[in-house]
């Protein structure tokens, strides 16, 4: 079983739709959970960061973590063409270590 | 601008050559990283340095050698380049080692022919 699984997409939705992106993981040692956004030919940038189970909201973005089921989600409300990018889930350990990235979901928002 | 910068942005070279990629961050971070992103967008850590000291060294061929002259710089030297080395290489930095908030450079697209 892979440590992190993420549907690669591509996912194409119309402007204004609610987008749901998901990752599952198998490593119970993960302590913090992140979503990075990567535009084409750019470096990833941190979008959301959370430690605990539950929801965290930031503007149109909501990150959801369910530690018991080992999945995380990112919801984008009122999606815009500028949200078109690859979204990477990422996981970290409590001890100073490395981050494990998902393979990314390519998202396209149609005007 | 405060950022992570990399040079060169594009690198095209032949098999067997030796090349270097440079990275600099002016964010005052203590930790820097090198990642490799393959054609399927899979982003995998290669090395991590904290204040010039090697922290993480993943299973990377020893043809790859990182060098950190100071905590603001982390360079990557690659010997005897192979076709499979073609990828985008990203440098990143963070305030603390393993910290989730990592700041990435723009990437260096390496093509080995």
């Amino acid at each position: 079983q892979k440590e992190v699984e993420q549907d690669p997409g591509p996912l194409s939705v119309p402007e204004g739709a609610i987008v749901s992106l998901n990752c599952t993981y198998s490593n119970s040692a993960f302590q913090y959970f992140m979503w990075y956004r990567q535009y084409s030919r750019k470096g990833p940038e941190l979008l959301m960061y959370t430690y605990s189970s539950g929801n965290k909201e930031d503007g149109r973005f909501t990150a959801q973590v369910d530690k018991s089921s080992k999945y995380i989600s990112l919801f984008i409300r009122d999606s815009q063409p500028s949200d078109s990018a690859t979204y990477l889930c990422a996981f970290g350990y409590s001890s100073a270590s490395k981050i494990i990235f998902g393979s990314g979901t390519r998202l396209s928002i149609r005007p | 601008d405060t950022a992570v910068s990399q040079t060169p942005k594009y690198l095209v070279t032949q098999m067997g050559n030796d090349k270097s990629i440079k990275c600099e961050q002016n964010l005052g971070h203590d930790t820097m990283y090198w990642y490799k992103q393959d054609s399927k967008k899979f982003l995998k850590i290669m090395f991590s340095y904290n204040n010039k000291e090697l922290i993480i060294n993943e299973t990377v061929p020893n043809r790859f050698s990182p060098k950190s002259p100071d905590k603001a710089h982390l360079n990557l030297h690659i010997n005897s380049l192979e076709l499979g080395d073609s990828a985008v290489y990203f440098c990143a930095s963070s305030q603390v080692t393993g910290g989730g908030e990592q700041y990435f450079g723009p990437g260096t697209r390496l093509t080995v022919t």
Side-chain angles (χ1 to χ4, degrees):
Chain A
Q1 185 182 9
K2 283 185 181 178
E3 202 168 25
V4 175
E5 303 238 26
Q6 183 174 11
D7 187 337
L11 181 62
S12 179
V13 301
E15 184 175 354
I18 296 175
V19 175
S20 171
L21 305 168
N22 307 293
C23 283
T24 57
Y25 63 97
S26 59
N27 192 338
S28 299
F30 289 146
Q31 292 293 311
Y32 51 92
F33 310 90
M34 294 149 284
W35 286 94
Y36 278 76
R37 177 176 61 195
Q38 185 176 18
Y39 290 114
S40 181
R41 296 186 176 263
K42 300 283 186 186
E45 56 179 337
L46 182 67
L47 201 56
M48 298 288 282
Y49 182 112
T50 182
Y51 285 100
S52 54
S53 279
N55 293 350
K56 181 178 181 180
E57 194 173 314
D58 184 0
R60 296 184 296 109
F61 299 89
T62 299
Q64 184 178 80
V65 174
D66 184 335
K67 287 187 180 181
S68 60
S69 301
K70 294 192 178 65
Y71 82 82
I72 67 171
S73 299
L74 178 70
F75 299 97
I76 307 174
R77 289 186 300 282
D78 187 25
S79 55
Q80 305 293 311
S82 58
D83 296 327
S84 297
T86 296
Y87 289 80
L88 301 131
C89 57
F91 302 81
Y93 302 89
S94 58
S95 59
S97 182
K98 59 187 178 185
I99 292 178
I100 307 297
F101 283 88
S103 55
T105 299
R106 192 151 54 93
L107 173 67
S108 176
I109 308 296
R110 307 188 302 270
Chain B
D1 284 346
T2 53
V4 180
S5 58
Q6 293 178 231
T7 54
K9 195 166 183 180
Y10 298 95
L11 189 51
V12 181
T13 189
Q14 291 185 326
M15 283 174 56
N17 284 349
D18 302 339
K19 290 292 178 186
S20 291
I21 307 171
K22 295 186 176 182
C23 178
E24 177 182 1
Q25 57 94 4
N26 59 7
L27 298 164
H29 290 165
D30 285 340
T31 307
M32 296 183 72
Y33 311 81
W34 276 111
Y35 286 88
K36 179 180 179 181
Q37 188 171 48
D38 61 25
S39 56
K40 294 185 178 178
K41 292 288 191 182
F42 185 58
L43 192 64
K44 194 167 186 333
I45 190 165
M46 301 172 69
F47 302 103
S48 167
Y49 269 74
N50 179 263
N51 203 9
K52 302 196 296 177
E53 183 183 341
L54 182 65
I55 303 281
I56 293 171
N57 184 348
E58 290 292 292
T59 309
V60 176
N62 56 16
R63 298 181 294 105
F64 290 79
S65 53
K67 282 187 174 52
S68 181
D70 56 60
K71 75 173 193 176
H73 296 83
L74 181 61
N75 304 323
L76 183 65
H77 188 76
I78 316 170
N79 289 328
S80 304
L81 277 155
E82 299 177 358
L83 292 176
D85 297 332
S86 296
V88 182
Y89 292 84
F90 286 101
C91 177
S93 72
S94 66
Q95 186 78 15
V96 295
T97 303
E101 188 160 10
Q102 296 188 8
Y103 292 79
F104 283 79
T108 295
R109 188 171 294 270
L110 172 64
T111 303
V112 183
T113 62

